[in-house]
Short mmCIF file of all heavy atoms in Angstrom, two decimals:
data_model
loop_
_atom_site.label_atom_id
_atom_site.label_comp_id
_atom_site.label_asym_id
_atom_site.label_seq_id
_atom_site.Cartn_x
_atom_site.Cartn_y
_atom_site.Cartn_z
N GLY A 1 -86.82 -91.97 67.35
CA GLY A 1 -87.81 -92.58 66.54
C GLY A 1 -87.82 -91.95 65.08
O GLY A 1 -86.82 -91.52 64.66
N PRO A 2 -89.03 -92.11 64.43
CA PRO A 2 -89.07 -91.69 63.02
C PRO A 2 -88.79 -90.12 62.76
O PRO A 2 -88.51 -89.87 61.63
CB PRO A 2 -90.55 -92.04 62.69
CG PRO A 2 -91.24 -92.02 63.90
CD PRO A 2 -90.32 -92.57 64.99
N GLU A 3 -88.87 -89.37 63.79
CA GLU A 3 -88.59 -87.94 63.55
C GLU A 3 -87.14 -87.57 63.58
O GLU A 3 -86.77 -86.48 63.12
CB GLU A 3 -89.31 -87.08 64.72
CG GLU A 3 -90.92 -87.20 64.66
CD GLU A 3 -91.36 -86.66 63.35
OE1 GLU A 3 -90.94 -85.58 62.90
OE2 GLU A 3 -92.17 -87.36 62.83
N ARG A 4 -86.28 -88.49 63.91
CA ARG A 4 -84.86 -88.24 63.99
C ARG A 4 -84.33 -88.17 62.56
O ARG A 4 -84.67 -88.97 61.67
CB ARG A 4 -84.09 -89.39 64.67
CG ARG A 4 -82.63 -89.16 64.88
CD ARG A 4 -81.99 -90.32 65.64
NE ARG A 4 -80.50 -90.28 65.63
CZ ARG A 4 -79.86 -89.61 66.47
NH1 ARG A 4 -80.45 -88.86 67.42
NH2 ARG A 4 -78.53 -89.60 66.40
N ILE A 5 -83.40 -87.15 62.33
CA ILE A 5 -82.90 -86.96 60.99
C ILE A 5 -81.91 -88.14 60.62
O ILE A 5 -81.33 -88.67 61.51
CB ILE A 5 -82.15 -85.64 60.88
CG1 ILE A 5 -81.04 -85.43 61.87
CG2 ILE A 5 -83.19 -84.43 61.08
CD1 ILE A 5 -80.19 -84.18 61.70
N ASP A 6 -81.85 -88.43 59.44
CA ASP A 6 -81.10 -89.56 58.93
C ASP A 6 -79.66 -89.13 58.42
O ASP A 6 -78.76 -89.97 58.45
CB ASP A 6 -81.78 -90.31 57.78
CG ASP A 6 -83.10 -90.86 58.27
OD1 ASP A 6 -83.00 -91.89 59.14
OD2 ASP A 6 -84.19 -90.54 57.84
N LEU A 7 -79.53 -87.95 57.97
CA LEU A 7 -78.25 -87.52 57.48
C LEU A 7 -78.27 -85.97 57.47
O LEU A 7 -79.26 -85.33 57.55
CB LEU A 7 -77.96 -88.00 56.09
CG LEU A 7 -78.92 -87.60 54.97
CD1 LEU A 7 -78.24 -86.43 54.17
CD2 LEU A 7 -79.14 -88.81 53.95
N VAL A 8 -77.00 -85.48 57.44
CA VAL A 8 -76.79 -84.06 57.42
C VAL A 8 -76.07 -83.65 56.04
O VAL A 8 -75.14 -84.30 55.75
CB VAL A 8 -75.91 -83.56 58.60
CG1 VAL A 8 -75.51 -82.07 58.43
CG2 VAL A 8 -76.61 -83.77 59.87
N THR A 9 -76.61 -82.54 55.51
CA THR A 9 -75.85 -82.04 54.27
C THR A 9 -75.12 -80.81 54.68
O THR A 9 -75.72 -79.90 55.27
CB THR A 9 -76.89 -81.74 53.18
OG1 THR A 9 -77.45 -82.99 52.70
CG2 THR A 9 -76.21 -81.06 52.01
N VAL A 10 -73.93 -80.67 54.30
CA VAL A 10 -73.10 -79.54 54.61
C VAL A 10 -72.97 -78.71 53.33
O VAL A 10 -72.24 -79.11 52.39
CB VAL A 10 -71.79 -79.89 55.12
CG1 VAL A 10 -70.91 -78.60 55.52
CG2 VAL A 10 -71.88 -80.79 56.40
N VAL A 11 -73.56 -77.57 53.27
CA VAL A 11 -73.54 -76.62 52.10
C VAL A 11 -73.12 -75.32 52.70
O VAL A 11 -73.99 -74.55 53.14
CB VAL A 11 -74.83 -76.64 51.37
CG1 VAL A 11 -74.65 -75.82 50.14
CG2 VAL A 11 -75.32 -78.00 50.99
N ALA A 12 -71.89 -74.95 52.66
CA ALA A 12 -71.43 -73.75 53.26
C ALA A 12 -70.00 -73.33 52.76
O ALA A 12 -69.48 -74.14 51.95
CB ALA A 12 -71.27 -73.96 54.87
N PRO A 13 -69.51 -72.11 52.98
CA PRO A 13 -68.23 -71.85 52.59
C PRO A 13 -67.16 -72.90 53.04
O PRO A 13 -67.43 -73.63 54.01
CB PRO A 13 -67.89 -70.51 53.28
CG PRO A 13 -69.24 -69.87 53.39
CD PRO A 13 -70.09 -71.05 53.69
N ASN A 14 -66.08 -73.03 52.37
CA ASN A 14 -65.13 -74.12 52.49
C ASN A 14 -64.68 -74.29 53.99
O ASN A 14 -64.48 -75.38 54.40
CB ASN A 14 -63.90 -73.90 51.62
CG ASN A 14 -64.19 -73.98 50.17
OD1 ASN A 14 -65.25 -74.48 49.75
ND2 ASN A 14 -63.19 -73.64 49.39
N ASN A 15 -64.46 -73.14 54.66
CA ASN A 15 -63.91 -73.29 56.02
C ASN A 15 -64.90 -73.84 57.01
O ASN A 15 -64.53 -74.33 58.13
CB ASN A 15 -63.57 -71.84 56.59
CG ASN A 15 -64.74 -70.94 56.80
OD1 ASN A 15 -65.56 -70.81 55.88
ND2 ASN A 15 -64.85 -70.36 57.87
N MET A 16 -66.16 -74.02 56.62
CA MET A 16 -67.19 -74.59 57.52
C MET A 16 -67.36 -76.11 57.28
O MET A 16 -68.02 -76.84 58.14
CB MET A 16 -68.49 -73.89 57.43
CG MET A 16 -68.48 -72.37 57.82
SD MET A 16 -67.86 -72.19 59.48
CE MET A 16 -69.07 -73.05 60.53
N HIS A 17 -66.86 -76.61 56.19
CA HIS A 17 -67.10 -78.10 55.88
C HIS A 17 -66.54 -78.99 57.01
O HIS A 17 -67.27 -79.85 57.39
CB HIS A 17 -66.46 -78.44 54.57
CG HIS A 17 -67.04 -77.73 53.43
ND1 HIS A 17 -66.53 -77.83 52.11
CD2 HIS A 17 -68.12 -76.89 53.32
CE1 HIS A 17 -67.32 -77.14 51.31
NE2 HIS A 17 -68.21 -76.52 52.02
N TYR A 18 -65.37 -78.71 57.39
CA TYR A 18 -64.81 -79.54 58.43
C TYR A 18 -65.49 -79.50 59.75
O TYR A 18 -65.85 -80.54 60.45
CB TYR A 18 -63.27 -79.34 58.57
CG TYR A 18 -62.58 -80.03 59.69
CD1 TYR A 18 -62.22 -81.31 59.61
CD2 TYR A 18 -62.33 -79.38 60.91
CE1 TYR A 18 -61.60 -81.99 60.67
CE2 TYR A 18 -61.64 -79.94 61.92
CZ TYR A 18 -61.28 -81.33 61.89
OH TYR A 18 -60.65 -81.92 62.82
N PRO A 19 -65.60 -78.30 60.42
CA PRO A 19 -66.19 -78.19 61.74
C PRO A 19 -67.56 -78.74 61.73
O PRO A 19 -67.98 -79.36 62.72
CB PRO A 19 -66.05 -76.72 62.14
CG PRO A 19 -65.87 -76.04 60.82
CD PRO A 19 -65.10 -76.94 59.92
N VAL A 20 -68.40 -78.48 60.76
CA VAL A 20 -69.76 -78.96 60.68
C VAL A 20 -69.82 -80.45 60.60
O VAL A 20 -70.58 -81.16 61.26
CB VAL A 20 -70.55 -78.25 59.63
CG1 VAL A 20 -72.08 -78.80 59.51
CG2 VAL A 20 -70.63 -76.74 59.75
N THR A 21 -68.93 -81.01 59.76
CA THR A 21 -68.84 -82.43 59.57
C THR A 21 -68.52 -83.18 60.90
O THR A 21 -69.20 -84.12 61.35
CB THR A 21 -67.87 -82.80 58.59
OG1 THR A 21 -68.30 -82.34 57.25
CG2 THR A 21 -67.63 -84.37 58.46
N MET A 22 -67.53 -82.59 61.65
CA MET A 22 -67.06 -83.18 62.88
C MET A 22 -68.12 -83.12 63.97
O MET A 22 -68.34 -84.00 64.75
CB MET A 22 -65.79 -82.59 63.37
CG MET A 22 -64.56 -82.90 62.31
SD MET A 22 -64.21 -84.61 62.19
CE MET A 22 -63.07 -84.77 63.61
N ALA A 23 -68.86 -82.02 63.96
CA ALA A 23 -69.89 -81.78 64.93
C ALA A 23 -71.03 -82.73 64.63
O ALA A 23 -71.71 -83.30 65.55
CB ALA A 23 -70.43 -80.29 64.87
N ALA A 24 -71.34 -82.99 63.34
CA ALA A 24 -72.37 -83.92 62.98
C ALA A 24 -72.01 -85.32 63.43
O ALA A 24 -72.79 -86.12 63.86
CB ALA A 24 -72.62 -83.89 61.47
N PHE A 25 -70.76 -85.67 63.20
CA PHE A 25 -70.24 -87.07 63.64
C PHE A 25 -70.42 -87.23 65.16
O PHE A 25 -70.88 -88.21 65.60
CB PHE A 25 -68.82 -87.23 63.24
CG PHE A 25 -68.57 -87.49 61.84
CD1 PHE A 25 -67.26 -87.43 61.31
CD2 PHE A 25 -69.60 -87.88 60.89
CE1 PHE A 25 -66.99 -87.65 59.95
CE2 PHE A 25 -69.37 -88.15 59.58
CZ PHE A 25 -68.05 -88.12 59.08
N ASP A 26 -70.05 -86.11 65.94
CA ASP A 26 -70.22 -86.17 67.31
C ASP A 26 -71.69 -86.39 67.82
O ASP A 26 -71.94 -87.03 68.82
CB ASP A 26 -69.67 -84.91 67.95
CG ASP A 26 -68.15 -84.75 67.87
OD1 ASP A 26 -67.47 -85.78 67.71
OD2 ASP A 26 -67.63 -83.66 68.05
N ALA A 27 -72.59 -85.83 66.94
CA ALA A 27 -74.03 -86.01 67.24
C ALA A 27 -74.56 -87.33 66.74
O ALA A 27 -75.76 -87.67 66.96
CB ALA A 27 -74.81 -84.82 66.67
N GLY A 28 -73.79 -88.07 66.06
CA GLY A 28 -74.23 -89.39 65.57
C GLY A 28 -74.86 -89.42 64.23
O GLY A 28 -75.66 -90.33 63.86
N PHE A 29 -74.57 -88.45 63.34
CA PHE A 29 -75.28 -88.33 62.01
C PHE A 29 -74.31 -88.51 60.88
O PHE A 29 -73.18 -88.01 60.89
CB PHE A 29 -75.86 -86.93 61.87
CG PHE A 29 -76.94 -86.56 62.85
CD1 PHE A 29 -76.83 -85.42 63.63
CD2 PHE A 29 -78.03 -87.39 63.05
CE1 PHE A 29 -77.80 -85.11 64.60
CE2 PHE A 29 -79.03 -87.16 64.01
CZ PHE A 29 -78.95 -85.99 64.72
N PRO A 30 -74.67 -89.30 59.81
CA PRO A 30 -73.93 -89.37 58.66
C PRO A 30 -73.83 -88.10 57.95
O PRO A 30 -74.77 -87.21 58.11
CB PRO A 30 -74.65 -90.36 57.77
CG PRO A 30 -75.57 -91.12 58.79
CD PRO A 30 -75.82 -90.19 59.85
#
């Protein structure tokens, strides 16, 4: 419903950009 997040922002050291992005994709988030 309306409480579901619409997107994820990844703001972290470089080594975390990829794993967080892929985990977000797995959860269904842009």
Side-chain angles (χ1 to χ4, degrees):
E3 295 301 311
R4 182 178 173 85
I5 61 176
D6 294 295
L7 65 97
V8 171
T9 295
V10 182
V11 186
N14 293 350
N15 68 309
M16 297 305 298
H17 295 176
Y18 171 79
V20 177
T21 294
M22 296 298 273
F25 285 166
D26 289 341
F29 299 123

